[in-house]
Amino acid sequence: PRGYDAGKKIRGRKRHILTDTQGNLVHALIHTADIQDRDGAPLVLAEIVKPFPWLRHVFADGGYAGDKLKDALRRIGKWTIDIIKRSDTAQGFEVLPRR
């Protein structure tokens, strides 16, 4: 299925990918593009609670910031989240720690 992402003005799919700090794939979920990042993240994390009960800390980019995600994570379990933001002076691609 595909959806319309109003922010990017395209039809397509959104991939929510969860990796460990070494970059190894833990879980991935594909949604329609009309689902916001903050709405898709709890769906991905809810699926890994049983297979990986020791995982409880999330590093994410600025697209996942906000109280909506924090409230959703409280309902799933005891998660902590660190939002890793880009510098305001950065131009183009920049490697960021933990992201």
Side-chain angles (χ1 to χ4, degrees):
R2 296 174 6 160
Y4 184 73
D5 184 343
K8 293 181 181 176
K9 296 184 172 49
I10 59 169
R11 285 184 43 85
R13 298 169 187 89
K14 195 171 281 189
R15 293 142 188 97
H16 295 274
I17 299 170
L18 184 67
T19 64
D20 63 11
T21 54
Q22 295 178 335
N24 299 312
L25 181 66
V26 174
H27 193 68
L29 199 59
I30 300 172
H31 296 282
T32 57
D34 56 351
I35 294 178
Q36 290 186 4
D37 292 344
R38 287 183 290 271
D39 297 331
L43 301 173
V44 176
L45 295 171
E47 289 189 9
I48 67 154
V49 170
K50 287 185 181 179
F52 302 99
W54 59 88
L55 296 179
R56 289 291 177 246
H57 191 81
V58 177
F59 295 99
D61 67 17
Y64 295 93
D67 291 333
K68 190 174 187 178
L69 176 58
K70 289 179 184 178
D71 293 340
L73 291 180
R74 268 191 226 109
R75 288 188 292 265
I76 297 171
K78 294 183 178 182
W79 291 91
T80 57
I81 184 165
D82 278 342
I83 303 297
I84 311 298
K85 295 187 179 182
R86 265 174 55 118
S87 167
D88 292 336
T89 59
Q91 292 182 347
F93 178 77
E94 180 182 324
V95 177
L96 300 174
R98 302 279 185 195
R99 197 183 94 182

